[in-house]
Amino acid sequence: MIDRLGGPLFVSWQVTRACDLACLHCCTESAPNRRLADELDGEEAFAFADALIRADVPYVMLCGGEPLVVPHIVAVAERLGAAGVQLKIETNGQALDAATVARLARLPIRSIQVSLDGDSQAVYARQRPGADLARAHAACRMVREAGLPLEITFAPTRLNLAEAEAVIARARALGAFRFNTGSPMRIGTAAKLWGRLSLDADALSAFRAFLDRRAASLGDAMELCYLPFSMEDGLSACRAEPPATLLVLPNGWVKVAAALPYICADVRRQSLAEVWERYRRAWRTEAVSAAIDRAIQDPTCHADANRWVALPDAGISPNGGRQ
Amino acid sequence: MKLAKFVKYREEKFGGVLFETRAETVYTLNPTAAAVVRAIQAGTPEDQIVPGLAAAFCDADGKLANEVETFLAHLRRKGLVEDDG
């Protein structure tokens, strides 16, 4: 499929590694003061947004870190939205205010995704230290009252699994159209804290069975999205059919896949057409194929996914960026 | 008739793609189907789509009208288009 397409259909753009929270399960190791030294600045972000518009990319996700801590992010969303690009914004909901929601409500928003990793303040804050569950719920209500589509995401861990059912019920009550979850992801901060967070095989199996039952009972009321269930299943699916998706890191580097360490291009140095061509070539390399094999056979390999490694074809010098 | 709210179309060398972003589902279109979608985007009334396409596509076997009708029904069934209103 990707070899037939003239450009990406979806861009997942991590606009910063900084976050107002330091969640135990974070895939991107985000936290306050974790902004990369070489992140795209406002001018570069607008230039990249313009490149996405010129390439007729239909759908862009703005994520992080926490995208709302980036001062220019709503203006970037407005630039994309004014050109008809559909937008998804991932947020923890802590900093979402009425003024921001009002600006977003004028855009072609496909969804606002809010993370709810617990249904009681105690459990939620155990996984998201310092976070306020009532504020996250208020953010969800503001989104719905503005007529925007709401998605909820739930990252299961040993700390919050007991509240999964309650969070699903909460998401439905808040008017979410979709609920995203799956097997815990052993990547980033979660990999470092795996001993505290991981679920054993029996708990995972029970969670999967619960989701199967719940999906059947929910019907059309809310989509329960949990497949592929594990990162290994996701990688297998990607190898069979690489997604028409660019994962852009805060410094403009382009990652082949979230679960792999490989960088295949740099939006600062290359046009979007060149980036797309390098992305397509990356999926044909032995390095990527072997990394997928290793990650499927040994999920501990996911822990290396944030130790970025530039592929020889990426056009990045050894000192071209910083982690 | 118009594309549904969460549906985006992009032209490609092989024809085009329809991307239903809500379900994140991609549909690939051959040149004829892509021309139908372009006509919908241009606001062409449904009964004018076939005459418009007949000029651009060879319709020696006279199957074009039937194929377009089937395709439009498919788009409706999948929720990819909605009627103006």
Side-chain angles (χ1 to χ4, degrees):
Chain A
M1 173 74 160
I2 60 171
D3 287 327
R4 300 176 69 205
L5 293 171
L9 291 173
F10 177 52
V11 171
S12 173
W13 182 1
Q14 294 177 6
V15 293
T16 185
R17 196 174 66 177
C19 186
D20 46 355
L21 298 178
C23 303
L24 305 191
H25 65 283
C26 185
C27 296
T28 53
E29 302 177 54
S30 299
N33 305 316
R34 288 279 287 162
R35 184 183 187 278
L36 298 177
D38 59 347
E39 290 187 1
L40 300 184
D41 62 22
E43 192 177 328
E44 291 171 317
F46 282 110
F48 181 54
D50 288 339
L52 297 175
I53 292 165
R54 284 194 300 276
D56 204 8
V57 173
Y59 179 26
V60 171
M61 175 167 75
L62 301 174
C63 51
E66 169 56 47
L68 296 180
V69 304
V70 176
H72 52 265
I73 197 60
V74 178
V76 168
E78 287 171 336
R79 177 79 66 97
L80 290 164
V85 178
Q86 295 203 3
L87 298 165
K88 172 175 175 173
I89 297 175
E90 283 190 359
T91 177
N92 58 35
Q94 299 297 299
L96 190 65
D97 58 24
T100 301
V101 171
R103 287 172 71 181
L104 295 176
R106 293 192 282 269
L107 305 179
I109 296 288
R110 180 266 187 193
S111 63
I112 306 290
Q113 179 174 295
V114 179
S115 302
L116 293 181
D117 296 312
D119 198 55
S120 66
Q121 173 62 27
V123 168
Y124 176 78
R126 202 179 306 157
Q127 190 153 319
R128 295 180 165 265
D132 182 347
L133 181 60
R135 201 174 290 163
H137 287 164
C140 295
R141 283 191 287 272
M142 275 192 287
V143 166
R144 290 303 297 134
E145 284 162 11
L148 293 170
L150 173 68
E151 274 185 273
I152 298 298
T153 188
F154 173 80
T157 68
R158 198 180 302 169
L159 306 178
N160 68 1
L161 190 64
E163 294 195 348
E165 185 159 14
V167 180
I168 291 173
R170 176 80 59 184
R172 193 177 168 198
L174 287 165
F177 75 95
R178 191 173 187 183
F179 186 95
N180 302 300
T181 189
S183 183
M185 295 194 284
R186 191 171 187 165
I187 182 171
T189 311
K192 293 174 182 167
L193 301 175
W194 196 240
R196 285 172 63 189
L197 303 178
S198 65
L199 304 177
D200 64 30
D202 288 346
L204 259 184
S205 174
F207 182 49
R208 171 65 191 267
F210 159 72
L211 292 172
D212 289 340
R213 289 193 305 275
R214 202 70 187 86
S217 65
L218 276 168
D220 293 333
M222 181 176 72
E223 183 189 355
L224 201 49
C225 188
Y226 58 99
L227 300 174
F229 188 64
S230 68
M231 292 182 80
E232 300 81 66
D233 291 346
L235 279 171
S236 294
C238 287
R239 176 153 60 186
E241 180 71 69
T245 298
L246 292 184
L247 171 51
V248 180
L249 298 172
N251 64 356
W253 287 5
V254 177
K255 223 172 173 214
V256 178
L260 301 179
Y262 292 117
I263 305 298
C264 61
D266 182 353
V267 305
R268 257 197 188 111
R269 295 157 189 254
Q270 296 137 16
S271 70
L272 196 62
E274 290 169 330
V275 166
W276 179 239
E277 184 52 37
R278 286 168 200 261
Y279 172 78
R280 296 196 296 192
R281 284 204 298 263
W283 278 100
R284 297 193 288 266
T285 62
E286 182 55 36
V288 168
S289 183
I292 291 174
D293 283 339
R294 283 196 302 274
I296 290 172
Q297 286 163 13
D298 178 9
T300 64
C301 291
H302 303 327
D304 296 330
N306 290 349
R307 293 180 196 141
W308 304 333
V309 177
L311 289 168
D313 188 35
I316 297 170
S317 65
N319 298 317
R322 188 178 305 165
Q323 288 184 48
Chain B
M1 184 189 291
K2 61 184 180 186
L3 293 185
K5 185 176 179 183
F6 296 105
V7 176
K8 296 284 290 181
Y9 167 75
R10 188 172 76 194
E11 209 154 312
E12 296 286 345
K13 283 182 181 167
F14 57 83
V17 288
L18 274 181
F19 191 1
E20 204 284 283
T21 63
R22 184 94 160 193
E24 297 178 343
T25 303
V26 176
Y27 302 86
T28 57
L29 307 178
N30 66 23
T32 313
V36 171
V37 171
R38 284 197 301 274
I40 292 168
Q41 280 192 309
T44 309
E46 193 169 338
D47 61 356
Q48 294 300 307
I49 290 177
V50 171
L53 292 186
F57 293 91
C58 175
D59 187 28
D61 54 7
K63 290 182 177 173
L64 184 63
N66 191 259
E67 286 173 359
V68 170
E69 189 181 329
T70 301
F71 179 57
L72 290 175
H74 186 72
L75 293 177
R76 279 202 173 90
R77 203 165 48 248
K78 293 279 185 187
L80 299 172
V81 294
E82 55 194 26
D83 291 317
D84 296 310

